[in-house]
């Protein structure tokens, strides 16, 4: 199994305690997802929203959501428009972008969490683009704690040097060319992620370093990242070719009003030879990686003995 490759992803089995939901995005588009809710309400119990990576179905995070639920959290997972539970027919000509996924979709789920779990603290876990999406919701000031995993802007110069040109060819040449041919990216057919809207592909493959310079980005002064005052933990893995130190810290620099911690973990820190970009949320890491995120969500701090190295972020 290639743990650096999206083609190795398989949806996790849905645990029995979740229920599906349908909710409108900020512009009315119907989003689908799942909620893990404890029977007894508790205003001190946090609710965690899980933001998926680009074109990874929310079902991939079900085992991790089940783990958080078992450790005392309520949890919401959802798919961005055009993906998984939030797909409606053909993606040919379908309009969606990274900005839509954050500004409209995540924002709607953030508001839903406030309605469905009134008074409860709200935390977010964001994988890859999901960490960027966490900074695009207009209501982001309500987020108490944020854990990101491999979160970055897919800027090609930040890719790991050893595989940079192969990644550029795959994600910045082949993917946009195939998208131009089909009107969307047929990822499932190729074994590369889920089928992906053309606008998202344009954002991903743009050769620019920052979010605001992507096709659907907005001026830096208009972005809501700085509204977050959440305690932010950015987890990166040393063999993640997307999540290099410059890539992680480029995104961290956007959370200018937050307390930020960057934890960099090598596979051998947890007795592995490889982990990569996609494997953190697989159930085999329940005892070795998931407790790091759990401790941050519970206490806003790393526990003694946490594997990895705490970086001095250049942000």
């Amino acid at each position: 199994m290639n743990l650096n490759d999206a083609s190795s992803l398989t949806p996790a089995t849905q645990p029995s305690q979740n229920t599906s939901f349908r909710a409108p995005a900020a512009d009315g588009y119907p989003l689908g997802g799942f909620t893990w809710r404890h029977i007894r309400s508790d205003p001190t119990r946090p609710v965690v929203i899980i933001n998926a990576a680009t074109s990874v179905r929310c079902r991939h995070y079900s085992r991790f959501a089940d783990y958080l639920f078992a450790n005392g959290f309520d949890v919401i997972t959802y798919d961005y428009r055009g993906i998984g539970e939030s797909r409606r027919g053909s993606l040919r000509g379908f309009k969606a972008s990274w900005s839509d996924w954050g500004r409209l979709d995540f924002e709607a789920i953030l508001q839903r969490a406030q309605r469905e779990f009134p008074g409860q603290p709200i935390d977010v876990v964001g994988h890859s683009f999901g960490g960027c999406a966490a900074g695009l919701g207009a209501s982001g000031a309500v987020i108490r704690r944020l854990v990101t995993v491999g979160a970055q802007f897919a800027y090609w110069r930040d890719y790991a040097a050893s595989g940079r040109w192969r990644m550029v060819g795959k994600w910045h040449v082949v993917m946009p060319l195939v998208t131009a041919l089909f009107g969307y990216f047929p990822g499932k057919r190729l074994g590369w992620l889920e089928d992906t809207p053309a606008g998202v592909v344009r954002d991903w493959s743009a050769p620019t370093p920052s979010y605001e310079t992507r096709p659907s980005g907005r001026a830096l002064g208009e972005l809501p990242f700085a509204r977050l005052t959440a305690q932010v933990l950015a987890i990166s893995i040393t063999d993640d070719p997307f999540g290099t130190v410059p890539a992680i810290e480029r995104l961290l620099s956007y959370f200018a009003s937050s307390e930020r911690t960057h934890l960099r973990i090598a596979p051998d820190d947890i007795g592995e030879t490889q982990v990569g970009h996609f494997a953190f949320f697989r159930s085999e890491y329940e005892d070795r990686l998931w407790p790091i995120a759990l401790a941050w969500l519970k206490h806003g701090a790393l526990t003694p003995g946490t594997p990895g190295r705490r970086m001095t972020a250049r942000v």
Side-chain angles (χ1 to χ4, degrees), residues 226-238:
R227 297 177 190 171
L228 272 73
T229 57
Q231 294 173 294
V232 179
L233 172 64
I235 298 172
S236 66
I237 309 294
T238 58

Side-chain angles (χ1 to χ4, degrees), residues 132-254:
C132 307
L136 294 176
S139 302
V142 304
I143 300 172
R144 182 188 65 156
R145 292 176 185 142
L146 169 63
V147 175
T148 68
V149 178
Q152 32 65 47
F153 293 117
Y155 175 47
W156 68 275
R157 289 184 182 274
D158 287 343
Y159 294 160
S162 59
R164 179 177 299 149
W165 295 113
R166 178 185 63 81
M167 294 173 68
V168 168
K170 180 175 182 177
W171 301 113
H172 298 262
V173 178
V174 174
M175 185 168 65
L177 287 175
V178 172
T179 300
L181 178 64
F182 286 90
Y184 70 100
F185 182 65
K188 292 183 71 173
R189 192 180 313 178
L190 298 175
W192 300 8
L193 306 171
E194 293 290 307
D195 294 347
T196 306
V200 171
V201 173
R202 284 192 294 270
D203 281 332
W204 183 338
S205 59
T208 55
S210 304
Y211 173 78
E212 73 271 13
T213 56
R214 301 302 167 108
S216 72
R218 295 182 290 167
L220 184 59
E222 298 175 0
L223 296 175
F225 285 87
R227 297 177 190 171
L228 272 73
T229 57
Q231 294 173 294
V232 179
L233 172 64
I235 298 172
S236 66
I237 309 294
T238 58
D239 71 330
D240 176 358
F242 291 99
T244 62
V245 171
I248 300 300
E249 294 185 354
R250 193 179 300 280
L251 174 60
L252 277 180
S253 69
Y254 277 66

Side-chain angles (χ1 to χ4, degrees), residues 48 50 63-73 75 125 294 297:
V48 179
I50 299 178
R63 295 284 179 84
F64 182 68
D66 194 38
Y67 170 82
L68 294 179
F69 180 82
N71 280 279
F73 294 84
V75 187
V125 172
L294 179 66
L297 294 172

Side-chain angles (χ1 to χ4, degrees), residues 6 75 123 127 131 133 188 200 256 263 268 277 289 302:
V75 187
D123 298 333
H127 180 204
K188 292 183 71 173
V200 171
L263 179 67
D268 60 9
H277 187 63
L289 291 177
L302 298 173

Side-chain angles (χ1 to χ4, degrees), residues 19-89:
T19 57
S20 62
F21 69 83
R22 189 75 56 202
D27 62 347
Y29 182 90
L31 301 175
F34 301 93
T35 302
W36 284 252
R37 180 195 300 272
H38 288 81
I39 295 174
R40 295 183 179 179
S41 61
D42 181 349
T44 67
R45 179 189 302 121
V47 54
V48 179
I49 300 170
I50 299 178
N51 284 350
T54 297
S55 299
V56 175
R57 297 185 68 161
C58 70
R59 291 173 183 262
H60 175 63
Y61 306 92
S62 292
R63 295 284 179 84
F64 182 68
D66 194 38
Y67 170 82
L68 294 179
F69 180 82
N71 280 279
F73 294 84
D74 294 317
V75 187
I76 300 173
T77 67
Y78 70 103
D79 281 313
Y80 309 118
R81 64 187 61 204
I83 306 298
E85 308 300 316
S86 300
R87 180 169 178 172
R88 297 292 175 269

